[in-house]
Amino acid sequence: MANPLPASPLSHLVLLALTALDGVFPMIPSEVAALAAGVLAHTGTLSLPLVICATALGVFAGDHLAYGLSRSVLGPRLIGRSRHVSRAVAAASRRLDRHAGPLIVTSRFLPGGRIAMNAASGMTRLPLAQFSPASAVAALAWSTYIAGLGYLGGAVFVEHPLLGLAAGLGVSFAVGAGFELVRRRAGRRRVEQRRHPALAAAVAALAVMAVPAAAVAKPADADRRELQEQLNAIVSAGAVGALARLRDERGEWQGVSGVAERGTTRRVSAESRFRAGSITKTFTATVTLQLAGEGRLRVDDAVESWLPGVVPNGQRITVRHLLNHTGGLYDYLRTLPLPPSPWFLDNRWRTWSSAELSARALANPPTFEPPGSSFAYSNTGYLLLGQIIEKASGRSYRQEVERRIIQPLRLRGTSMPGSSPSIPGPHPHGYVPIDRDGVRDLVDYTLMNPTVMGAGGEIISTTADLNRFFAALLGGELLPSNLLREMKTPGLEGGRYGLGLAWWHDTTCGIRLYGHDGDALAYQSWSFSTEDGHRQVTVALTPNFAGDPEDAVGALLDRAFCD
């Protein structure tokens, strides 16, 4: 066997060049490129094409076929022409996710793993702000693994091709499993830190002590006191009670203000659950885009192709129009009595179907034409998206949100209540204003049938869970980069709403915040994050309708993100 050392500098260059293909074409396994480079380094030529082809087939089938075809940039375009093929491949990918997840070497090993892989091969396409210590570890481990596999695997292939194939796949799977175990362990550690705030506080305190005093603009506790003052100002502006949670580089802060129930002194719990209203739309949109990534539907499918005869002019209105509110559909909420009308309470316990509510809206003319020419926020579009999710997946949108988001992210305080009127766990009471005989009164509306809000507003959650959800979404855990990029693209030029994701850039420091707000009548909420996920804030309140607390909420967000 030839001495590989003289060829090693060239092999390393070839190795990096070939490995970079994995960042450009997700369906090309970088292990195959590494092994090819290794053989080239040892023999001076690719004289074993059959061996390389066998390796490619083995790694491609075992590591990339079902997962890569359904998740990659190229896959949906290649197989999406046939819905039957799309569904078959998507089913295979789900099985692979469930049963062989640790073996998928090229899916994000650690937070920022895909970024690290691209960095190791010189293909970094994301800001340096995305990097973290975990990313650095992943980059080092990935580059070492690729170099070792190419160098040693190439030597083995020259003498024993079949042994080399087995060894290459074995090492590939072992490394993937190891990274997966580390990732899960890190996830459990983060959960434990959240469960033991004293420990987290101690870690944060040590981190602060390590920073030179000159670098600290003002004491951390003073900053947190100002946030508490801002939260108190929200209650003074028009709320019965309020709670907020901030996550930044110094850890987590949570605050409460006001009371959980009128006429009592019971404090709001920091772990309270609340109806998050239209924040549900981001969950529904995420599931819709996941189905698009699997080839089960296309974002530019006509609504008519999924719901024949349901939507007038449905052949011109697309799934994208529903997601970004540019379809011109009349909002069904405008067909129902709303507070302060006393007739509003007549529907309190009624179970509504999505088809029934959307039919009320679609009996009205569109708010504008043609579709895509303007923006008008419409809850009707998300009712229709719920129906499309059911058609595309074979499950209700509630089941899909739970299966795809709530369970994998371990959002313990988040639920899709369906027709259940109660809010499980600790929660503040919510109220609505009702006029009776010329007198306005606040009616406790905590218990109600949430089917009236459906796929656009029924979710119950907590401040911690919403922060976790948006961190995962913006961090690339829930969607591939191309679909996340589309989610952050406004429906109209200069707009502030993408595919189920809104942004807030009225901060004094000019930072754009991504997230959503929610209005469930008796509960109002806001959950926003910086694009890099380093700072997040979720605020929830129960309004008393004596004033408008939105400006005070804006002031708190500004303080949290710009101070």
Side-chain angles (χ1 to χ4, degrees):
M1 181 175 64
N3 181 2
L5 290 177
S8 58
L10 175 61
S11 71
H12 291 162
L13 292 176
V14 175
L15 175 67
L16 287 176
L18 292 177
T19 307
L21 291 175
D22 187 65
V24 181
F25 302 110
M27 289 167 57
I28 297 179
S30 48
E31 290 92 338
V32 176
L35 288 167
V39 171
L40 177 63
H42 283 272
T43 66
T45 178
L46 289 176
S47 58
L48 298 173
L50 293 179
V51 172
I52 300 303
C53 288
T55 308
L57 180 61
V59 179
F60 187 81
D63 199 357
H64 281 261
L65 185 58
Y67 193 88
L69 280 178
S70 63
R71 296 288 201 272
S72 73
V73 175
L74 299 178
R77 296 178 183 174
L78 293 176
I79 65 176
R81 297 181 185 277
S82 169
R83 187 162 293 166
H84 297 294
V85 174
S86 300
R87 291 178 178 177
V89 172
S93 76
R94 288 197 304 276
R95 293 192 188 95
L96 192 61
D97 281 341
R98 286 196 299 269
H99 303 301
L103 307 182
I104 300 171
V105 178
T106 56
S107 59
R108 300 169 294 272
F109 303 141
L110 294 169
R114 168 63 69 176
I115 304 168
M117 289 159 53
N118 288 339
S121 60
M123 289 297 299
T124 304
R125 291 169 291 176
L126 295 177
L128 289 176
Q130 293 281 349
F131 282 93
S132 65
S135 300
V137 172
L140 178 61
W142 175 256
S143 57
T144 302
Y145 157 58
I146 284 294
L149 182 62
Y151 189 76
L152 300 177
V156 175
F157 269 115
V158 171
E159 297 291 334
H160 303 288
L162 292 179
L163 177 61
L165 174 61
L169 289 175
V171 172
S172 173
F173 291 160
V175 171
F179 273 121
E180 180 71 10
L181 289 174
V182 171
R183 184 186 66 79
R184 292 180 180 181
R185 189 176 186 88
R188 284 196 296 271
R189 186 177 292 114
R190 287 193 296 271
V191 171
E192 288 302 316
Q193 286 181 354
R194 289 197 295 269
R195 288 177 180 170
H196 301 287
L199 175 61
V203 173
L206 289 173
V208 171
M209 290 171 62
V211 177
V216 180
K218 60 182 177 181
D221 57 347
D223 179 52
R224 299 322 199 198
R225 280 199 302 270
E226 291 175 2
L227 286 172
Q228 182 62 52
E229 291 170 4
Q230 294 285 347
L231 192 60
N232 295 340
I234 290 174
V235 172
S236 299
V240 177
L243 63 156
R245 186 180 300 260
L246 163 69
R247 187 186 67 82
D248 61 13
E249 59 277 3
R250 285 179 286 154
E252 277 195 346
W253 169 85
Q254 50 188 340
V256 298
S257 187
V259 296
E261 184 177 3
R262 294 180 70 217
T264 73
T265 58
R266 183 165 61 88
R267 286 171 53 84
V268 178
S269 168
E271 308 304 323
S272 287
R273 303 181 186 190
F274 50 87
R275 302 192 191 278
S278 287
I279 296 177
T280 310
K281 290 181 173 65
T282 311
F283 285 76
T284 299
T286 300
V287 169
T288 303
L289 292 174
Q290 286 179 342
L291 291 170
E294 294 167 6
R296 294 189 173 200
L297 57 80
R298 298 184 184 91
V299 177
D300 292 314
D301 279 346
V303 174
E304 180 69 17
S305 67
W306 287 101
L307 305 173
V310 172
V311 180
N313 201 27
Q315 69 278 6
R316 299 179 63 194
I317 299 174
T318 66
V319 171
R320 185 186 302 275
H321 292 144
L322 302 184
L323 287 165
N324 61 24
H325 302 286
T326 61
L329 298 179
Y330 195 86
D331 194 331
Y332 75 90
L333 288 180
R334 295 162 65 182
T335 72
L336 302 174
L338 294 173
S341 168
W343 309 114
F344 168 74
L345 298 177
D346 291 347
N347 292 323
R348 180 171 188 165
W349 310 113
R350 178 172 176 173
T351 296
W352 297 88
S353 71
S354 174
E356 181 183 12
L357 289 170
S358 55
R360 293 176 66 96
L362 298 172
N364 293 274
T367 55
F368 60 81
E369 288 187 298
S373 63
S374 188
F375 174 92
Y377 194 89
S378 174
N379 291 283
T380 306
Y382 276 77
L383 292 183
L384 298 173
L385 286 170
Q387 297 175 45
I388 291 173
I389 288 172
E390 183 168 358
K391 288 283 188 73
S393 68
R395 300 181 182 88
S396 71
Y397 72 86
R398 295 186 184 97
Q399 292 173 311
E400 288 295 273
V401 168
E402 290 169 353
R403 188 176 73 89
R404 292 170 173 270
I405 300 176
I406 294 175
Q407 293 173 6
L409 295 183
R410 299 179 181 179
L411 306 182
R412 308 296 191 194
T414 301
S415 60
M416 304 293 285
S419 59
S420 174
S422 61
I423 301 177
H427 59 271
H429 285 235
Y431 305 87
V432 293
I434 298 295
D435 288 342
R436 290 177 174 143
D437 300 324
V439 177
R440 178 162 295 185
D441 189 22
L442 283 184
V443 174
D444 191 321
Y445 201 68
T446 307
L447 301 178
M448 50 85 68
N449 189 323
T451 55
V452 69
M453 297 182 284
E458 75 167 78
I459 204 166
I460 293 171
S461 194
T462 67
T463 55
D465 279 3
L466 291 180
N467 278 352
R468 171 73 185 105
F469 165 66
F470 280 106
L473 176 63
L474 295 171
E477 292 184 39
L478 298 175
L479 292 174
S481 59
N482 62 314
L483 290 176
L484 181 58
R485 193 162 49 246
E486 286 211 51
M487 198 178 206
K488 294 189 288 188
T489 301
L492 296 175
E493 187 174 352
R496 298 189 179 189
Y497 201 97
L499 304 184
L501 190 68
W503 38 95
W504 181 309
H505 47 190
D506 291 333
T507 56
T508 56
C509 54
I511 295 176
R512 173 177 287 190
L513 310 177
Y514 288 97
H516 214 292
D517 61 337
D519 187 347
L521 297 178
Y523 298 86
Q524 295 174 2
S525 51
W526 295 258
S527 189
F528 286 91
S529 171
T530 55
E531 187 171 15
D532 60 14
H534 287 174
R535 284 198 178 196
Q536 294 181 281
V537 174
T538 297
V539 180
L541 61 88
T542 49
N544 62 17
F545 300 94
D548 185 357
E550 186 159 349
D551 287 345
V553 171
L556 185 147
L557 292 174
D558 195 85
R559 169 75 66 182
F561 288 106
C562 294
D563 191 22

